[in-house]
């Protein structure tokens, strides 16, 4: 008996023809995953080295999820993975679209992302990597949808929790790279927005050198207390260190016994493999079965991008990028992302509204927005630049 | 004085009619326990240990077997509802969350969220009869009163799958709103209600065609729309009143079964998920996970009459038929 059931997938397909879901036209959707090979810094801990199939495995699970739904509807999904150099990225994206990909999930810095979007005006580009607030406030593009939260959203998420916790005196330590300055600015804005006080700022200069060395901890142990010495009275140290230079060295090494948050300690995460909220366990398990490892933030973002397209195709019965764009921007679109409130796009800048996880090592500590921060339209719009603060007003 | 008081009580009892004592069984997801409640006195009888992460709970039509999904143990536990002695376990497939019994009491249809299947288990032989592939993250399970169809909802595929219980084929697949959690037929089998937690709606479905007749939406002043997340659904046996648990909005909606308009919202405990009637339909009980309590709602008066502390994170509830 048990064996005969295995053949039921075919039966289910046949049954669709008679079902309440009306017989639909075959819809084939190809999604390109464009992982531009940029010179990303090596994490300070070897535990955080990205897997070879980082992001790809997430997209694959998304395609499998979409296909399971699609088999009831006559919809199919394909994934094309590209790993171009920054120089070749535009040509590779153009070729993928020419070969039928209507949707590109792109992991690239802001400049490359915008170049790709400009080169494929008839396709939709889903941003998986560029966190720049300028892409949400002044340089918005009709065909870019931001899946990854902006720096302002991440800073606001942390700020809400720290203010809720009444840890409102912050020492901000940021790196010397342009991204670190941008993140520091996001924290300054968040402090103003939510009534926290940055009592002191310090800059940790990147002087180069090897990321890891055999007994590097000996020097680190002596350097970090001295670096954090004599700070004004504070509750928490916030680290902005996107280039993995120093943040991971702060916890347990600060001069004063204070918690660390930001890029170390209580970290702001796109995803966390320990998260079980809102039914997330099932998705984690599906991913782990497929990839034989935990789901990273990049996997989650790629999964989500693929699911966003799948959800829109399921609801609209088309893979036409223009029709999908209209649906994604509409009030009708929402998708569960295992982060609490349903996710949707802000129509003025096409940023995905989403809860943001704050996690220590093994566990999610909280998910912002915190319930106490209210908003007249969506509580998720308490994170990042709200409509009146953005110059963008993308239209249908 | 004492006599007067006694007679007043006696009169009140007469007016209220003879109330039968049923036992309600509540699974406490975090506490790994089951709380037994006397529905007459509305007091806790006892709290007994269960398997890990107990969620879905149901009872056989005879009232002799209590079934509990022990999700983290990957089994369904079967208890003697009188003694709460664990009789045996059933093979359930991984991570069982919700299930439904055939109206005859056998078999049991179990949603396995991790494997995208519905497992059919013979409760007498303790064997797996079938594994039926459905959409991604199967969750809600409803059965038609004639037992011909089991409806499974898949949370990521967003469909209600009509499983033919003779052929195990999916005869109908109805696309509903986001994250469908629960499927409930009316007693006459003429309508099916499917709640969508993220979509914030309850679809009223014609089971014959699978067509959606209406989508019930919810609105409570002062509550953000995203918090109105429908989960558990129950319908009175005459089909005239529908109760819907609205999750983190801490409310149970009361809906007219004919017009499908919301009549009232009743404030209960925090994060209300599942509901169960007493067999006389005098009360409906809600499980309020985040406040560790259940609420007794007087069905006729549409009033919450009692909140009762149970174990940690109450999830599911069922009331014995006798």
């Amino acid at each position: 008996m048990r064996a005969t059931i295995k053949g039921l997938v075919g039966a289910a397909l046949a049954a669709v023809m008679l079902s309440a879901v009306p017989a639909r036209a075959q819809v084939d959707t190809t999604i390109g995953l464009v992982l531009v090979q940029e010179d990303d810094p090596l994490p300070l801990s070897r535990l955080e080295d990205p897997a070879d199939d980082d992001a790809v495995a997430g997209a694959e699970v998304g395609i499998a999820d979409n296909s399971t739904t699609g088999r009831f509807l006559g919809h199919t999904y394909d994934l094309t993975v590209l790993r171009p150099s920054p120089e070749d990225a535009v040509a590779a994206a153009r070729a993928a679209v020419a070969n039928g990909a209507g949707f590109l999930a792109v992991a690239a810095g802001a400049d490359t992302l915008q170049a790709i979007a400009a080169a494929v005006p008839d396709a939709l580009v889903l941003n998986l990597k560029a966190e720049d607030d300028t892409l949400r406030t002044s340089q918005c593009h009709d065909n870019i949808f931001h899946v990854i939260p902006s720096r302002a959203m991440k800073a606001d998420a942390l700020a809400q929790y720290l203010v809720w916790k009444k840890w409102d005196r912050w020492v901000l330590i940021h790196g010397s790279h342009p991204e670190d300055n941008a993140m520091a600015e996001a924290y300054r804005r968040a402090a103003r927005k939510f009534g926290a006080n940055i009592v002191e700022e310090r800059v940790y200069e990147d002087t180069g050198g090897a990321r890891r060395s055999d007994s590097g901890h000996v020097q680190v142990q002596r350097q970090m207390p001295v670096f954090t010495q004599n700070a004004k009275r504070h509750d928490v140290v916030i680290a902005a260190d996107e280039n993995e230079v120093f943040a991971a060295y702060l916890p347990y090494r600060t001069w004063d016994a204070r918690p660390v948050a930001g890029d170390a300690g209580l970290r702001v995460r796109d995803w966390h493999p320990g998260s079980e909220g809102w039914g997330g366990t099932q998705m984690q398990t599906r991913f782990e079965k497929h990839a034989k490892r935990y789901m990273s933030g990049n996997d989650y973002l790629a999964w989500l991008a693929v699911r966003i397209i799948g959800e829109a195709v399921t609801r609209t019965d088309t893979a036409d990028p223009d029709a999908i764009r209209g649906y994604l921007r509409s009030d009708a679109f929402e998708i569960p992302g295992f982060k609490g409130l349903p996710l949707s796009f802000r129509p003025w800048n096409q940023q995905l509204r989403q809860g943001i996880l704050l996690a220590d090592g093994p566990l999610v500590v909280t998910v912002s927005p915190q319930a106490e921060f209210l908003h007249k339209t969506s509580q998720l719009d308490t994170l990042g630049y709200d409509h009146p603060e953005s110059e963008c007003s993308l239209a249908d | 004085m004492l006599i007067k008081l006694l007679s007043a009580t006696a009169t009140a009892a007469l007016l209220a009619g003879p109330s039968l004592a049923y036992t309600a069984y509540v699974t406490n997801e975090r506490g790994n326990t089951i709380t037994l409640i006397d529905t007459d006195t509305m007091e806790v009888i006892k709290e007994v240990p269960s398997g890990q992460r107990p969620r879905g709970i149901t009872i056989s039509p005879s009232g002799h077997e209590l079934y509990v999904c022990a999700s983290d143990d990957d089994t369904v536990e079967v208890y003697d509802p009188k003694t709460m002695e664990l009789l045996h376990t059933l093979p359930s497939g991984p991570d069982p969350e919700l299930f439904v019994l055939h109206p005859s009491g056998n078999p049991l249809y179990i949603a396995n969220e991790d494997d995208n299947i519905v497992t059919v288990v013979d409760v007498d032989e303790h064997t797996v009869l079938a594994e039926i592939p459905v959409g991604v993250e199967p969750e809600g399970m409803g059965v038609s009163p004639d037992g011909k169809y089991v409806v499974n909802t898949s949370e990521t595929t967003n469909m209600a799958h009509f499983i033919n219980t003779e052929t195990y084929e999916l005869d109908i697949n109805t696309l509903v709103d986001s994250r469908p959690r629960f499927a409930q037929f009316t007693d006459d089998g003429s309508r099916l209600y499917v709640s969508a937690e993220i979509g914030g709606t309850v679809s009223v479905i014609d089971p014959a065609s699978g067509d959606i007749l209406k989508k019930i939406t919810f609105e409570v002043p002062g509550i953000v729309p995203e918090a109105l997340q429908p989960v558990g659904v129950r319908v009175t046996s005459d089909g005239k009143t529908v109760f819907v648990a609205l999750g983190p909005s801490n409310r149970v909606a009361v809906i007219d079964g004919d017009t499908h308009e919301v009549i009232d919202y009743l404030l209960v405990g925090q994060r209300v998920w599942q509901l169960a009637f007493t067999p006389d339909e005098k009360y409906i009980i809600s499980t309020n996970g985040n406040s560790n309590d259940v609420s007794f709602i007087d069905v006729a008066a549409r009033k919450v009459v009692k909140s009762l502390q149970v174990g940690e994170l109450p999830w599911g509830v069922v009331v014995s038929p006798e």
Side-chain angles (χ1 to χ4, degrees):
Chain A
M1 191 66 196
R2 202 169 169 163
T4 63
I5 302 306
K6 304 284 182 195
L8 275 178
V9 180
L13 268 175
V16 166
M17 296 301 153
L18 309 168
S19 79
V21 176
R24 297 172 175 216
Q26 174 84 21
V27 178
D28 302 309
T29 306
T30 301
I31 300 171
L33 178 62
V34 185
L35 306 173
V36 180
Q37 301 299 290
E38 292 168 335
D39 203 8
D40 291 327
L42 198 62
L44 291 179
S45 165
R46 65 187 294 274
L47 296 185
E48 299 189 351
D49 284 347
D52 292 341
D53 62 350
D54 192 36
V56 176
E60 287 170 348
V61 172
I63 290 284
D65 286 354
N66 289 352
S67 302
T68 303
T69 303
R71 73 184 161 88
F72 299 113
L73 300 167
H75 297 171
T76 68
Y77 296 87
D78 280 308
L79 182 70
T80 307
V81 180
L82 307 169
R83 300 173 188 273
S85 67
E87 297 74 35
D88 299 336
V90 166
R94 227 183 238 134
V97 172
N99 283 326
F103 310 95
L104 299 178
V106 177
D111 292 343
T112 307
L113 176 81
Q114 293 181 92
I116 289 174
V120 292
D122 296 331
L124 297 190
V125 170
L126 294 107
N127 170 20
L128 304 182
K129 186 174 177 187
E131 301 177 306
D132 309 58
D133 285 298
T134 49
L135 292 176
R136 282 82 170 172
T137 55
S138 55
Q139 298 167 36
C140 297
H141 301 266
D142 279 341
N143 64 334
I144 298 183
F145 284 80
H146 303 287
V147 179
I148 190 168
S150 68
R151 290 192 178 93
M153 290 168 72
K154 293 183 171 179
D156 288 355
L158 181 59
Q160 285 192 5
Y161 176 72
L162 295 179
V163 167
W164 179 87
K165 194 72 189 62
K166 301 207 182 335
W167 289 345
D168 52 11
R169 289 167 306 178
W170 305 348
V171 165
L172 174 61
I173 302 179
H174 64 86
S176 53
H177 293 268
E179 300 84 6
D180 303 327
N181 287 321
M183 194 64 217
E185 183 48 38
Y187 282 123
R188 287 180 206 120
R189 175 180 175 275
R192 286 195 300 273
K193 185 171 168 182
F194 296 106
N197 184 11
I198 298 177
V199 297
E200 190 172 337
E201 286 193 26
R202 293 185 184 188
V203 179
Y204 195 101
E205 294 289 342
D206 184 1
T207 53
R211 296 275 152 177
R212 301 174 196 157
S213 52
D214 193 317
S215 37
H217 67 277
V218 176
Q219 286 193 356
V220 170
Q221 181 176 335
R222 294 188 182 156
Q223 287 162 354
M224 297 318 282
V226 175
F227 179 75
T228 52
Q229 194 177 1
N230 295 329
K232 284 184 186 152
R233 195 168 63 93
H234 60 287
D235 300 310
V236 61
V237 174
I238 294 185
D241 176 32
E242 295 193 15
N243 285 276
E244 296 271 350
V245 176
F246 66 94
Y249 294 146
L250 283 171
Y252 309 106
R253 301 173 185 92
T254 51
W255 184 270
D256 299 301
R258 293 291 180 276
V260 177
D263 284 324
L266 182 66
R267 288 172 66 180
V268 186
R269 306 282 290 253
D270 295 319
W271 186 241
H272 189 278
S275 181
E276 300 204 68
W278 303 283
T281 313
Q282 285 76 41
M283 202 263 292
Q284 305 268 25
T285 315
R286 265 199 322 281
F287 178 87
E288 287 155 18
K289 264 187 197 165
H290 174 78
K292 310 280 185 271
R293 59 177 176 80
Y294 290 131
M295 188 177 213
S296 72
N298 292 335
D299 289 313
Y300 174 83
L301 292 170
W303 171 83
L304 186 56
V306 170
R307 281 288 303 123
I308 284 167
I309 298 304
E311 176 67 14
V313 171
T314 300
R315 298 289 175 186
T316 57
D317 206 25
T318 173
D320 171 48
D322 203 42
I324 296 298
R325 177 176 184 270
Y327 184 76
L328 292 179
R329 294 171 44 78
S330 74
D331 288 344
F333 173 77
E334 56 183 8
I335 191 164
F338 309 107
K339 291 177 172 177
L341 301 173
L343 318 186
S344 59
F345 282 102
R346 293 172 182 158
W348 63 90
N349 61 4
Q350 292 171 183
Q351 166 68 53
L352 188 69
R353 299 181 172 104
Q354 59 196 290
I356 290 180
L357 310 183
L358 305 180
D360 64 357
L363 286 176
V364 174
V365 173
T366 185
V367 182
S368 285
Q370 301 297 313
E372 289 75 8
F373 295 92
L374 306 177
H375 192 277
K376 64 176 181 177
T377 50
S378 166
Q379 213 191 351
L380 293 175
D381 285 348
T382 62
L383 302 179
Y385 285 88
D386 201 357
H387 195 179
E389 302 167 301
S390 170
E391 292 167 23
C392 292
S393 52
L394 296 175
D396 289 331
Chain B
M1 182 68 183
L2 183 65
I3 307 285
K4 263 189 188 164
L5 199 65
L6 275 177
S7 80
T9 314
T11 314
L14 277 175
L15 283 173
S19 65
L20 295 163
Y22 308 107
T23 305
Y25 301 83
V26 175
T27 49
N28 301 303
E29 180 183 7
R30 185 148 185 199
N32 291 344
T33 56
I34 299 163
T35 302
L36 278 64
I37 301 165
D38 182 320
T39 65
D40 190 20
T41 62
M42 298 184 192
E43 296 295 340
V44 171
I45 303 167
K46 59 180 171 179
E47 186 176 336
V48 298
S50 70
Q52 294 191 72
R53 206 172 175 202
R55 292 195 279 178
I57 182 165
T58 194
I59 197 161
S60 62
S62 67
H64 294 159
E65 285 102 20
L66 183 74
Y67 299 91
V68 176
C69 284
S71 297
D72 281 357
D73 286 339
D74 296 337
T75 61
V76 169
E77 299 181 319
V78 186
Y79 291 90
D80 178 337
K82 292 267 182 299
T83 63
M84 287 311 287
E85 181 195 345
L86 179 64
L87 301 174
H88 56 264
T89 60
L90 295 173
S92 69
D95 197 19
E97 180 165 350
L98 268 174
F99 49 21
V100 70
L101 263 180
H102 191 274
S104 69
N106 194 22
L108 185 67
Y109 302 88
I110 306 165
N112 296 116
E113 277 201 295
D114 277 359
D115 276 9
N116 303 343
I117 54 171
V118 166
T119 303
V120 187
V121 177
D122 187 309
V123 297
D124 296 329
E125 304 294 329
H126 309 176
T127 55
V128 173
L129 297 174
E131 290 177 334
I132 306 162
V134 290
V136 183
E137 292 178 25
E139 163 108 7
M141 299 292 292
V143 64
S144 62
D146 60 9
K148 286 187 176 157
Y149 280 99
V150 162
V151 170
N152 161 253
T153 65
S154 48
E155 289 181 327
T156 292
T157 291
N158 301 322
M159 283 182 182
H161 306 286
F162 287 66
I163 301 168
N164 184 317
T165 54
E166 280 182 18
T167 63
Y168 297 139
E169 288 181 14
L170 308 189
D171 284 357
I172 299 177
N173 300 285
T174 299
L175 197 56
V176 294
D177 284 340
S178 206
R179 221 172 144 75
R181 288 289 301 266
F182 202 80
Q184 178 68 48
F185 280 89
T186 51
D187 275 10
D188 66 1
S190 67
R191 289 190 307 279
L192 171 73
Y193 296 92
V194 174
S195 64
E197 184 179 24
I198 293 286
T201 60
V202 172
S203 290
V204 187
I205 296 173
D206 170 15
S209 64
D211 292 339
I212 295 174
L213 305 173
K214 179 167 180 177
K215 279 184 187 172
I216 302 168
T217 56
F218 304 92
E219 202 176 338
V220 179
I223 302 270
V224 290
E226 296 94 332
L228 295 162
Q229 301 184 348
V231 182
V233 181
R234 296 291 177 192
V235 192
T236 52
S237 53
D238 60 8
K240 290 203 180 303
T241 314
V242 184
F243 291 85
V244 178
L246 292 176
S249 74
N250 311 332
R251 269 136 178 114
V252 170
V254 188
I255 294 154
D256 184 307
D258 295 321
T259 63
H260 292 127
E261 299 294 329
V262 181
I263 305 165
D264 208 352
Y265 294 96
L266 308 175
L267 187 62
V268 292
Q270 292 172 28
R271 202 217 65 189
V272 51
W273 263 0
Q274 299 295 346
L275 303 166
F277 284 112
T278 52
D280 57 8
E281 291 186 1
K282 202 166 163 197
Y283 301 109
I284 187 165
I285 301 167
S286 71
T287 54
N288 315 317
N290 284 354
S291 46
N292 297 336
D293 57 9
V294 300
S295 300
F296 278 79
I297 297 164
D298 184 313
V299 170
R302 293 188 201 127
K303 268 201 173 128
V304 179
V305 292
K306 168 124 183 180
S307 294
L308 181 63
Q309 205 74 17
V310 291
E312 268 187 280
L313 271 186
W315 197 100
V317 55
V318 71
V319 186
S320 64
E322 55 192 78

